[in-house]
Amino acid sequence: MTKPNTHYKELKDSYLFFGIAQKVNAYLEKNPGKRVLRLGIGDVTLPLCPAVIDALHKAVDDQSKKESFHGYMPECGDPALRECVHRYYAERGIALEKDEVFVSSGASDELGDILDLFDKDNTVLIMEPAYPAYVDANVIAGHRILHLPADKENGFLPMPDKAHKADLIYICSPNNPTGAVFSREQLKKWVDFAKEHETVILFDAAYEAFIEDETLPHSIFEIEGAKDCAIEICSLSKTAGFTGTRCGYTVIPKALERGGMNFNAMWVRNRTTKTNGVSYIIQRGAAAVFTPEGQRQIHENIRLYKENAAELMKVLDALGIWYCGGKNAPYIWMKCPDGMGSWEFFDFLLEKLQIVGTPGEGFGSCGEGFFRFSTFGNPDDTKEAARRLYEAFKK
Ligand code: PLP
């Protein structure tokens, strides 16, 4: 008999966004025509920038002519795009070899697939609150999971401890959902810890482009010693509006080895077996992100999202409500006012202020009592939500 992967039975129902949608729909059925301000889901709302659109159009035309047509692309990525990413790191003082960069269809795909590199008999450390895919991908892979809860006292940036006996460590910085960002000194402690325990760090840098405080690291490879203990997974989804276009990249240094096996070589083997590469058209669009014009244009979009963050932060500051994130990340993670629980605050916001956000508890139990606002929404809605919040909670 075919044996299914019974680990799927261990997955907890992902009721978070489904539960939110159900509550909002029920509210709108009872209150038709009410203007609901959506600051919940972390998808982008601004379109792809013109430099990317031009490159995509041109690539479509290339595919229409025999001389410029492309069939299968190299499995590990178009050398031209690998070169762009390589240069992007070099500009930040990180020297990589071009074949340490792999092009992907996005970070979610990689976060799941990368687990092929590790034996089932591994324990993973997941700092919580966390992007839900980390836990689910590891449950499916049959790994043991050690949950490391973060809290307000450590600014949602937990530090390593001897008790954390894990073989793989997830770090997401800037973090989803908290928006918190590890400093260089803090990341150095994690790198030292990983080296001491021969652990591998999976560093999710999906939000690196939102960092504006230049003292903060965008990449784990800015930290000395990280090349033999870390893999970095990055995405153009939030950086450049590629959520529906799909492209990202992963860096696996050649120095990264465990048990005499080389992870870069293993990943080449994995990709050449499991993919036939990302589409030519998409990779041409992605390469345009790294041109000077592309960089200027994507940062203009990021600036617009940051204006949303500024509106919300101004009001939370005025109300004296604790929060983190917003400045170097597209998320604001706030303490629910008046001792409310996460879902209680959700219901209050929906029913009294017609604002939708995301209850912190949905990202792990230590998120109870906290709430996430996404800054990817419509600017008028965000401004209006900030105004309603201020009116509701001013003393
Ligand atoms: N990593 C984090 C922390 C995210 O928040 C997200 C998306 O929200 C992803 C990865 C997935 O990104 P992608 O669209 O590239 O799959």
Side-chain angles (χ1 to χ4, degrees):
M1 190 191 82
T2 304
K3 294 182 198 67
N5 177 351
T6 52
H7 294 300
Y8 280 79
K9 289 190 195 167
E10 297 155 26
L11 290 169
K12 297 222 173 75
D13 278 343
S14 147
Y15 65 93
L16 180 62
F17 291 106
F18 179 70
I20 292 174
Q22 269 191 330
K23 279 183 178 249
V24 175
N25 290 342
Y27 175 82
L28 283 173
E29 249 167 54
K30 266 200 250 149
N31 303 275
K34 277 268 189 201
R35 179 178 171 207
V36 171
L37 309 171
R38 294 175 193 268
L39 279 67
I41 297 192
D43 198 354
V44 292
T45 51
L46 293 170
L48 292 169
C49 67
V52 170
I53 292 294
D54 288 349
L56 290 171
H57 279 302
K58 184 169 173 311
V60 170
D61 289 343
D62 288 347
Q63 295 296 70
S64 72
K65 292 179 227 106
K66 205 164 174 211
E67 318 78 74
S68 52
F69 171 77
H70 286 75
Y72 286 129
M73 296 299 287
E75 295 89 343
C76 298
D78 180 354
L81 179 53
R82 292 175 98 179
E83 162 108 41
C84 291
V85 177
H86 172 266
R87 204 179 331 113
Y88 184 66
Y89 276 86
E91 281 160 8
R92 215 177 289 128
I94 301 167
L96 298 176
E97 289 180 42
K98 286 176 196 140
D99 48 3
E100 292 180 318
V101 174
F102 295 84
V103 174
S104 76
S105 298
S108 290
D109 314 45
E110 292 290 269
L111 285 164
D113 291 352
I114 206 87
L115 297 182
D116 281 358
L117 296 179
F118 308 104
D119 191 271
K120 282 205 180 343
D121 186 23
N122 271 309
T123 300
V124 302
L125 182 73
I126 299 182
M127 298 173 198
E128 287 183 347
Y131 179 55
Y134 302 160
V135 169
D136 288 357
N138 280 285
V139 168
I140 291 171
H143 291 156
R144 279 182 303 279
I145 299 177
L146 211 61
H147 300 267
L148 171 57
D151 55 32
K152 190 167 156 258
E153 277 56 54
N154 56 29
F156 287 93
L157 295 167
M159 295 311 294
D161 181 289
K162 276 196 233 28
H164 304 148
K165 294 212 178 344
D167 310 299
L168 256 183
I169 298 171
Y170 280 78
I171 301 182
C172 178
S173 179
N175 186 275
N176 178 12
T178 67
V181 188
F182 281 103
S183 70
R184 265 171 229 283
E185 296 67 35
Q186 289 169 321
L187 272 192
K188 178 80 173 98
K189 292 209 169 98
W190 276 109
V191 165
D192 291 345
F193 180 80
K195 285 163 88 85
E196 187 187 335
H197 299 276
E198 292 188 273
T199 304
V200 171
I201 294 174
L202 289 178
F203 190 79
D204 185 338
Y207 298 99
E208 64 82 15
F210 288 78
I211 294 177
E212 57 183 56
D213 175 350
E214 277 309 322
T215 67
L216 295 171
H218 289 240
S219 162
I220 186 96
F221 300 119
E222 290 178 44
I223 309 303
E224 199 199 319
K227 278 198 183 160
D228 54 20
C229 71
I231 289 175
E232 180 155 296
I233 294 179
C234 206
S235 164
L236 297 181
S237 281
K238 308 300 164 75
T239 303
F242 269 61
T243 52
T245 306
R246 312 302 304 147
C247 197
Y249 49 91
T250 297
V251 176
I252 308 185
K254 290 185 185 166
L256 183 62
E257 297 194 336
R258 292 290 179 268
M261 295 186 75
N262 184 285
F263 287 110
N264 180 290
M266 287 161 72
W267 195 237
V268 171
R269 193 59 203 256
N270 182 291
R271 294 294 84 184
T272 50
T273 305
K274 289 200 164 181
T275 80
N276 266 325
V278 175
S279 118
Y280 167 74
I281 296 168
I282 300 303
Q283 293 196 72
R284 295 314 303 147
V289 170
F290 296 95
T291 61
E293 193 52 16
Q295 285 292 301
R296 196 192 59 69
Q297 292 173 358
I298 63 156
H299 280 285
E300 177 56 21
N301 283 358
I302 289 174
R303 191 185 65 73
L304 295 174
Y305 294 135
K306 288 286 181 71
E307 284 181 10
N308 285 342
E311 291 290 337
L312 291 164
M313 290 192 296
K314 194 168 66 190
V315 159
L316 295 176
D317 286 337
L319 294 172
I321 293 176
W322 186 92
Y323 67 93
C324 58
K327 185 164 158 46
N328 297 294
Y331 301 113
I332 291 176
W333 179 255
M334 63 177 282
K335 179 101 188 81
C336 300
D338 303 336
M340 277 191 248
S342 293
W343 280 102
E344 194 187 348
F345 187 50
F346 176 90
D347 290 337
F348 172 87
L349 286 181
L350 176 62
E351 279 158 30
K352 301 281 188 287
L353 309 184
Q354 293 77 49
I355 298 172
V356 180
T358 313
E361 198 206 338
F363 302 97
S365 55
C366 63
E368 172 56 328
F370 292 87
F371 203 79
R372 188 192 79 171
F373 281 126
S374 156
T375 64
F376 287 120
N378 172 297
D380 290 338
D381 283 6
T382 309
K383 249 186 225 144
E384 176 59 14
R387 191 193 65 76
R388 290 183 193 177
L389 268 177
Y390 182 74
E391 288 302 319
F393 290 100
K394 73 179 181 201
K395 297 279 181 268

